[in-house]
Amino acid sequence: MSFVALPPTPASPAASVVPGDGWYPDIDCNDFRNALRMGEMVTHDRLVGAIEGAQVTVERELAAWRAACEMWGAATLAEVEPNRLSGGKHRLTLIYTRAVRMHAAAELAETHRDLTATQDGQARADTDETTAREYLRRATHAVRDILGVTRTAVELI
């Protein structure tokens, strides 16, 4: 009897993207995994579902802003402030991608619970909740950065 080791199945297909709507850019699944150091514990289908949900959420939050940009003649996100670059990449595209990643990561952190009932498993679940809240905070900051509004609202009572 012989044993042949097979290479591990990649978490995402080599050229896997979740398409944008033409105005907003595509989201690359492998870039998402690399940026958030997400290994193979999240299946490709779950990742795609989380990204799609995040796109819907972020795009809904930016709907009025997008409508105004389209009225000014922007046919894509990259045409809004086209000369604003960061590291050679379009600034708003980077921020939009961050907002989508953070919303998707929050969903994955909230729904990926440890199945053990041990105290260690519960501690990890509590950490995941904190992480999910942190991801949502970062997503909110990214959306506010796109809208050009402050991140904190303070009001005197």
Side-chain angles (χ1 to χ4, degrees), residues 53-146:
Q55 286 172 314
V56 169
T57 299
V58 171
E59 291 168 19
R60 185 181 64 238
E61 291 175 1
L62 296 173
W65 175 83
R66 175 183 172 170
C69 291
E70 288 177 326
M71 282 181 29
W72 298 327
T76 66
L77 178 63
E79 290 181 15
V80 179
E81 301 179 351
N83 297 324
R84 303 260 337 243
L85 303 177
S86 179
K89 297 179 182 176
H90 183 251
R91 182 181 161 273
L92 292 177
T93 299
L94 291 173
I95 299 170
Y96 167 80
T97 300
R98 178 179 174 82
V100 170
R101 283 179 182 166
M102 293 299 115
H103 268 291
E107 178 182 327
L108 292 169
E110 287 174 342
T111 59
H112 188 76
R113 291 283 186 241
D114 195 302
L115 297 178
T116 65
T118 66
Q119 213 168 14
D120 288 344
Q122 184 59 44
R124 280 192 299 275
D126 292 342
T127 300
D128 286 346
E129 282 183 29
T130 301
T131 302
R133 284 193 301 267
E134 179 65 19
Y135 285 137
L136 287 174
R137 183 183 69 80
R138 291 177 183 177
T140 299
H141 286 180
V143 169
R144 288 176 151 292
D145 288 346
I146 291 171

Side-chain angles (χ1 to χ4, degrees), residues 1-41:
M1 178 173 14
S2 66
F3 175 75
V4 177
L6 298 174
T9 305
S12 296
S16 179
V17 298
V18 178
D21 66 357
W23 202 85
Y24 289 108
D26 299 345
I27 303 294
D28 185 292
C29 294
N30 292 311
D31 287 349
F32 181 101
R33 284 186 189 279
N34 291 336
L36 295 173
R37 295 179 291 158
M38 186 176 297
E40 297 179 16
M41 69 180 177

Side-chain angles (χ1 to χ4, degrees), residues 153-157:
V154 179
E155 204 174 295
L156 293 174
I157 299 176

